[in-house]
Each structure stands twice: as structure tokens, then as C-alpha cells.
Amino acid sequence: MAAALLAGCSFIPTYERPAAPVPQAYALAGADVPATARAAADIDWKEYFSDPRLQRLIGVALGNNRDLRVAMLNVEQARAQFQIQRAGQYPTVNAIASGTRQPSTATGEYTNLFQVGLGITAWEIDFFGRIAALKEQALAQYLATEEARKSAQISLVAAVASGWLTLMADEELLDISRRTLATREESVKLTRLRLENGVSSELDNSQALSLAQAARATYAQQQRQRMLDENALVLLLGQALPDDIRASLPSARLAEAVPMQPLPAGLPSDLLVRRPDIRMAEQQLIGANANIGAARAAFFPRVSLTAQFGTVSDELSGLFKGGSWAFSLAPQLALPLFDAGRNQANLEAARAGREIAVAQYEKSIQTAFREVSDALAGQATLQEQLDAQRAQAQSDAKRLELSDLRYRNGVASYLDLLDAQRSLFATEQSLVLTRLQQLQNQVVLYKVLGGGWTEQAPQENATPRS
């Protein structure tokens, strides 16, 4: 029994990972993905995003983004907290030096007492595993914080990629608006000339002016949105957009973007080990489970030890001489008898905390499943939508060409020409936005499958030994 007590024991409940509360497979698993395709979590972001400009932007963000920097510092803070908690398992040895002068109770004369040595004060011997349980909780919190850092990096990589694609789309929309505005200003000149020659009516001229002002308003709106999107990307980068990359944007086209690799969805169970946010929730659950062990151990006696070893003398010159050495040992046992229900309340709170952590862990799995399912739904339908809109844009362009020809020859009204212009402008904008949505969906799929972080991530920290 003595050996068992000295070895210590643990009241931490046996941890069992909760069952994943999601279906065993996705409704859309990406049947068109090659069998040789690698999992997203195994593909480094430099390999997945092969555009050199985007690679450079992501690298800048990983080095300068303040949110990621805070996440890294949180890891360091959690590591220090773990080290503090682990230190509680070992005695703290202090150097002690003291001197007192007080009257003697026998003679009333003042006497001196000097003491120098080493001391251990109230070191708790962890017979029942209370401190060990707190250490396990601190370790789980550190590991959860580390997973949070990985999740922050994944989100940052995806956000920069999405922001870069948005800027490319903004430039393309601005180009469409510029061309449309130029065309409509030419139409204003044409209708005014026809009005002056009595060929067209004042109504045609007013309609042309209205359509030109609408295009000018849209162009101004898109300029503003372009600046807002650049500001958002600059915030992610932590610095201004490099001049050479900015200069390359006007010629960028989403249709010419470097294609991304096809990604297999895998099984929902893969998310448990692939996604840092789920691993973070599980570490928080493990920490809550360890808290129960600490709360249980509080019902049992606490054994503490205070010890001193050194030299004592009534004169400074007598220190360190023979016969001045002394040793004291004062063990103490404290058994909780009445605490007004404090320990029981702590245990109930710890149990409730574990149930909360279980619910949060299960919710993180369900959220991940939903995110992957949404991305797969986009992957399955956006290409078909893009093909249809591309064909619609070609038809609208042909319609505008024929309507303009018919109007110039007096066969069709100006209203037909205006309707064809509106239709083509809207279709071209929708085509760009759908192409952007498709590319961003590929970025999201890479993110939600756990891509964007690898073991070679910058400033990776080793896990401390427990």
C-alpha cells in the first residue's frame, strides 16, 4: 500500500473519443477526381497554389499577419502555463538567510540568532494525482492552442488566395464596365446625330443617355469595390500590396488562372485527424476530462512537506562551524472534513464542463461535415453553370451585333438595341462572378479538407514533454 501511495494514483476518467455524429460518407464524393489524387492535407500550399504571385502574397501574409502572430504567441503563452503547472510536481528549493534579535524569556536580555541554509516550503506530495491531473489539463490546453494556430494558418492561406482571386475578378469587371461605358457613349453620339438629322426621336436620345449614366454609375461602384477588396487583402498581408503585383493585375484574367489540383473528399472520419479545429476541440475535451480527475482528488488528504537544512548560530562568526548544522522536517496532512459543498460543486462543474466540451467537439465535426458537403455541392454544379453562362454570353453578344445592325438600317427600334446591350452587360458580369465563385470554391474545398498547413510550417514549435 505504501508503494502504491508513493507511486501516486489518478482519478482521471478513462478517455473515450465520442462517436462522430455525421453520416459515414458524403452525398457528393467527387466521382470525377482521379484515383491518384492526393488528400488536401498532404499537399503543401505552395504546391496547390502554383501562381508565383499568389505564392509570394501568401508568404508575405504568413510572415506579417497580426492575427497569425497572436495565434503563435498564444501557443508560447500556453506552453509557459504548462511548464508552470508541471513545476508543481517538484519541490521548490530556496536559499534562506535570516537574522533576528529579541529578548530572552528567561533573562530579559537581548540575544541574536543567525541562520543560513536551504529550505523547502509546503511541497505537496501528489499521492492522489491532483497536481498530475492539472498538469494533464494544462498540456491539453497547450496542444489545443497549437491546433488553433494551425487552423489560423489554414484560414489565412485560404483568405489570401480568395482575396487575390477577388481582385482579379474586380479588374475584369472594371474592364467590362469600361468597354460598356465606351460603347454606350458612342451610342449617345450616334443617337444625337440621328436626332439632329431627324432620323431618330428624342426618346431614343434620352434612353441612350440614361443607359450611359447607368454604366458610369456601375463603373464608379466597381472602382470603389476594387479599392475595398484591395484594402481587405492588405490587412491580411500586414503590409501594402507589392507594386509589381499590383501592376500585373489589369492584365489578369480569371479564365487564365493556373488550375488547382483535383482533391478527393475522402471519408468524414478523415476530418478527425486532418482538420486542426477538430483536433483542437478534442484536446479541449481531454483537458475537461482531466479536470474531473483534479476535482475528484480534492476529496482526499493532501500531504505537504516543509524542510530546512543549514547552519544556526547566535553570532555571525559561528556560522558554518562544527556543531552549528541543523535539519528540520515538518510533514503535514490535511483531510477535508467540511467545506460547505465546495469540493462537490467543483466536481459537478468539472463534469458539466466535460459535457460542454463533448457537445463542442461534436458540433465541430458537424460543422466540418457541412463545410465539406457545401464545397462538394459547389464543385458538382458550378462548372455546369459556368458553361451555360458562357454560352449565354456568346448568344447575347451575337444578339447585340444583329440588333445594332438592324437599328442602323432602320429595321429595329432603339429599344431592341438597348435591351440587347443590357442583357450582354449583365451576362458578362455574371460570367465573371460565377468563374470567381468556382475558383473560390476550390480554395474553400482545399481549406475545409485540412489543406494549407504542413509539418514544415513556419515557426513550428515542438511539443513539450509531459
Side-chain angles (χ1 to χ4, degrees):
M1 290 179 61
L5 286 175
L6 290 175
C9 58
S10 175
F11 291 101
I12 300 177
T14 302
Y15 173 73
E16 294 182 3
R17 175 184 288 175
V22 294
Q24 296 182 356
Y26 301 106
L28 299 172
D32 297 335
V33 177
T36 57
R38 290 185 294 160
D42 296 331
I43 304 175
D44 186 80
W45 61 264
K46 291 182 180 180
E47 188 177 355
Y48 188 72
F49 301 113
S50 53
D51 186 339
R53 295 170 299 179
L54 180 53
Q55 288 180 351
R56 182 177 167 192
L57 291 177
I58 293 176
V60 169
L62 291 178
N64 295 322
N65 183 265
R66 299 317 190 264
D67 290 333
L68 184 61
R69 186 173 300 174
V70 169
M72 292 178 176
L73 293 174
N74 285 337
V75 174
E76 294 302 319
Q77 186 181 48
R79 178 200 290 270
Q81 293 293 336
F82 166 72
Q83 299 288 358
I84 293 172
Q85 197 62 59
R86 185 176 67 172
Q89 291 183 306
Y90 304 97
T92 300
V93 180
N94 298 310
I96 299 174
S98 65
T100 59
R101 180 175 175 80
Q102 60 186 10
S104 171
T105 57
T107 64
E109 297 180 358
Y110 281 86
T111 59
N112 299 324
L113 182 65
F114 301 98
Q115 180 179 355
V116 176
L118 302 176
I120 298 173
T121 304
W123 169 45
E124 181 179 346
I125 304 175
D126 197 25
F127 283 142
F128 300 99
R130 189 185 71 87
I131 298 178
L134 293 176
K135 184 202 71 173
E136 291 300 321
Q137 189 277 333
L139 176 60
Q141 183 59 43
Y142 164 76
L143 295 176
T145 309
E146 174 67 13
E147 296 298 342
R149 185 199 69 79
K150 298 173 186 176
S151 183
Q153 177 173 322
I154 287 176
S155 297
L156 177 61
V157 168
V160 172
S162 180
W164 170 249
L165 293 172
T166 300
L167 273 186
M168 293 177 66
D170 288 340
E171 290 290 349
E172 200 164 345
L173 290 172
L174 282 172
D175 183 61
I176 293 174
S177 295
R178 278 192 293 265
R179 288 187 285 106
T180 300
L181 179 59
T183 300
R184 291 181 180 179
E185 287 177 343
E186 287 297 324
S187 295
V188 170
K189 294 178 182 179
L190 175 62
T191 53
R192 184 179 295 114
L193 182 62
R194 290 169 64 89
L195 175 64
E196 292 173 354
N197 289 276
V199 180
S200 64
S201 65
E202 182 66 33
L203 177 61
D204 289 347
N205 186 57
S206 297
Q207 289 175 330
L209 286 171
S210 175
L211 209 58
Q213 294 303 326
R216 185 171 287 106
T218 301
Y219 181 62
Q221 179 185 3
Q222 289 175 347
Q223 284 180 312
R224 181 174 66 255
Q225 188 60 49
R226 162 68 176 75
M227 289 185 284
L228 294 178
D229 291 336
E230 180 175 341
N231 292 340
L233 182 58
V234 166
L235 179 61
L236 293 174
L237 297 180
Q239 67 173 50
L241 195 66
D243 292 337
D244 55 335
I245 293 181
R246 184 200 299 272
S248 69
L249 275 170
S251 61
R253 292 294 179 269
L254 291 177
E256 301 171 358
V258 181
M260 304 173 204
Q261 301 180 29
L263 299 173
L267 298 174
S269 58
D270 296 337
L271 298 177
L272 304 184
V273 295
R274 294 293 189 179
R275 291 209 13 166
D277 57 335
I278 296 180
R279 297 200 300 266
M280 177 187 69
E282 184 173 15
Q283 288 298 332
Q284 290 173 338
L285 172 57
I286 292 173
N289 197 58
N291 271 338
I292 295 178
R296 285 176 173 176
F299 287 91
F300 293 84
R302 294 189 186 181
V303 179
S304 60
L305 180 66
T306 298
Q308 291 185 2
F309 173 77
T311 175
V312 181
S313 176
D314 56 0
E315 295 181 357
L316 284 175
S317 59
L319 293 176
F320 303 104
K321 291 183 178 181
S324 66
W325 296 95
F327 175 80
S328 67
L329 182 66
Q332 181 182 14
L333 184 145
L335 176 64
L337 297 178
F338 176 75
D339 61 1
R342 181 182 291 107
N343 285 340
Q344 183 62 36
N346 284 335
L347 179 58
E348 292 173 0
R351 287 171 174 167
R354 180 178 62 179
E355 294 306 313
I356 292 173
V358 169
Q360 291 173 335
Y361 173 67
E362 292 176 340
K363 178 62 181 298
S364 68
I365 297 175
Q366 291 174 337
T367 301
F369 180 86
R370 185 262 175 96
E371 291 174 346
V372 175
S373 297
D374 287 350
L376 291 175
Q379 186 182 55
T381 57
L382 281 171
Q383 184 60 49
E384 183 178 355
Q385 178 183 348
L386 187 63
D387 292 341
Q389 288 183 327
R390 188 180 292 113
Q392 182 185 3
Q394 293 174 351
S395 298
D396 284 344
K398 186 64 176 179
R399 175 191 171 193
L400 176 60
E401 180 183 348
L402 295 176
S403 296
D404 183 64
L405 182 62
R406 287 167 59 85
Y407 174 70
R408 291 176 183 273
N409 287 279
V411 179
S413 67
Y414 190 67
L415 185 62
D416 292 337
L417 177 61
L418 292 180
D419 185 62
Q421 288 180 342
R422 291 193 196 99
S423 180
L424 178 60
F425 184 47
T427 302
E428 287 180 334
Q429 287 186 314
S430 297
L431 180 61
V432 173
L433 294 176
T434 302
R435 188 180 293 119
L436 172 63
Q437 188 178 3
Q438 183 193 35
L439 292 173
Q440 288 181 332
N441 185 78
Q442 291 178 292
V443 174
V444 170
L445 182 60
Y446 178 64
K447 170 190 171 183
V448 298
L449 290 176
W453 178 87
T454 61
E455 292 292 344
Q456 292 77 31
Q459 301 185 26
E460 181 64 20
N461 295 318
T463 302
R465 293 177 297 176
S466 62

